[in-house]
Amino acid sequence: MNELTTLERRGMASISTPGGKMLIVAADQRNGMKAVMNAPEGPGSITAQQLSDAKADLVRYLGNAAPAILLDPEVALPRVADEGVLSRDTALVVGLDASGFETIEGLRYTKFVPGMSARKVRELGGDVAKMLWYMRPDLQDATSRVAEEIRELVTECSKEGLLLIVEILAYRLEDESEQDYAAAFPRLVADAARLSVECGAKVLKLQYPGSAEASAAVTEAAAGVPWAVLSAGVDHETFIKQVEIAVANGAGGAMAGRSLWKDSLAVSSETREQLLTTRALPRLHELEAVVDGTLVVS
């Protein structure tokens, strides 16, 4: 297990429930958030100011009820901190990854938001950092570019006393059939966890691997490093069942985005407030109960 430093332990506590499980509202999406705001003239018509307003409302009416919220440094920050929108009791996780990815020789690579670093996360008021990497552990090993990037950022964040959440996404190759990818997926998630831990990762954010058995395999591969399940855009009912299974088999919590709020955003601030408080917020409370094991949904 990659041991946490004292400062990293404080970061871990800040993103966890009283029951000790990670629970983070993910709201670092940009284009994905525009897509669900139902703008009459389409997502492309939504301005940066409108998106910023939507993120501020998401923090105000949903994120502040969670232990932590994940936000981007391009639209949401530093506004929600400077204007006092973010509650003092909600930890701030800052995403370092830029939207999209580039493909080189069939493999996907993410990029950093320009100017972002562990020090910049601190300057933005962040308590914890998060970086996304795409990974195919059947084609990439400890000498690969993605492995080297993980090692470098883990070291940088450690020097800054900043806990880093390593998010890994497995993906289907262009010449790979859906059937072959589905068959390989559970192993890809587990092997990605194993490689990330070998590169120094201390906290993981991973896709649900598909079953109780696969979740147990991920836990074994993570070798004591806590991992949280990401929602990957599924509906809330599906996600809480996935979380229940994963936590019962060793997962350390959940990081939920669209499963909470994808049908609760709009261009209108009045509509956002109504939907976030009556639809998304009850889902968050239910997810917390499932994460902490006080509610059984299956």
Side-chain angles (χ1 to χ4, degrees):
M1 178 177 177
N2 299 326
E3 293 289 340
L4 299 176
T5 65
T6 300
L7 284 173
E8 289 168 340
R9 288 183 187 280
R10 293 291 297 168
M12 189 67 177
S14 75
I15 62 174
S16 300
T17 68
K21 299 294 185 181
M22 289 180 281
L23 181 59
I24 300 173
V25 172
D28 59 333
Q29 297 87 341
R30 284 74 120 191
N31 293 333
M33 194 170 287
K34 288 181 179 181
V36 300
M37 288 177 64
N38 299 315
E41 297 180 9
S45 68
I46 297 173
T47 66
Q49 183 62 48
Q50 287 175 315
L51 183 59
S52 177
D53 290 344
K55 285 177 177 281
D57 280 347
L58 202 154
V59 173
R60 186 178 289 113
Y61 302 118
L62 181 64
N64 283 342
I69 187 164
L70 167 62
L71 293 168
D72 66 278
E74 294 180 299
V75 179
L77 299 170
R79 175 185 174 181
V80 299
D82 289 345
E83 295 183 3
V85 177
L86 182 64
S87 167
R88 59 177 291 177
D89 297 322
T90 298
L92 174 59
V93 183
V94 180
L96 298 168
D97 44 285
S99 293
F101 58 86
E102 62 177 347
T103 301
I104 302 175
E105 297 181 349
L107 298 176
R108 296 180 182 180
Y109 296 94
T110 43
K111 294 182 178 181
F112 284 85
V113 172
M116 286 305 299
S117 63
R119 169 62 65 174
K120 186 63 177 179
V121 170
R122 289 296 196 199
E123 291 174 355
L124 289 170
D127 301 287
V128 175
K130 188 276 295 186
M131 181 64 188
L132 161 68
W133 283 278
Y134 289 92
M135 187 182 290
R136 286 290 305 221
D138 52 340
L139 300 175
Q140 295 167 306
D141 60 18
T143 66
S144 64
R145 168 181 160 180
V146 66
E148 183 59 30
E149 288 181 357
I150 293 172
R151 282 192 293 267
E152 288 179 356
L153 189 57
V154 166
T155 299
E156 179 186 340
C157 288
S158 181
K159 290 179 178 178
E160 192 63 37
L162 184 69
L163 181 65
L164 172 66
I165 298 170
V166 173
E167 177 179 5
I168 301 295
L169 291 182
Y171 58 95
R172 184 165 67 93
L173 302 172
E174 292 181 1
D175 59 352
E176 185 176 29
S177 71
E178 291 185 7
Q179 293 81 2
D180 287 346
Y181 176 61
F185 182 73
R187 176 175 49 79
L188 291 174
V189 177
D191 287 347
R194 182 177 293 105
L195 178 56
S196 299
V197 171
E198 289 175 3
C199 293
K202 298 182 179 183
V203 182
L204 297 168
K205 177 183 178 183
L206 303 170
Q207 295 145 305
Y208 176 64
S211 67
E213 181 181 11
S215 296
V218 171
T219 299
E220 181 179 3
V225 168
W227 65 282
V229 189
L230 60 89
S231 62
V234 300
D235 60 77
H236 172 67
E237 290 72 22
T238 298
F239 186 55
I240 58 174
K241 291 177 182 177
Q242 292 177 345
V243 170
E244 183 179 49
I245 293 169
V247 169
N249 288 277
M255 302 186 192
R258 288 168 291 172
S259 68
L260 292 174
W261 49 255
K262 66 181 177 182
D263 56 359
S264 299
L265 294 182
V267 177
S268 163
S269 59
E270 293 80 8
T271 302
R272 284 198 298 267
E273 179 180 359
Q274 192 270 328
L275 292 176
L276 286 167
T277 54
T278 63
R279 181 180 291 170
L281 187 57
R283 290 174 180 168
L284 176 62
H285 293 320
E286 186 176 26
L287 178 60
E288 181 170 1
V290 171
V291 163
D292 278 342
T294 61
L295 175 65
V296 177
V297 295
S298 59

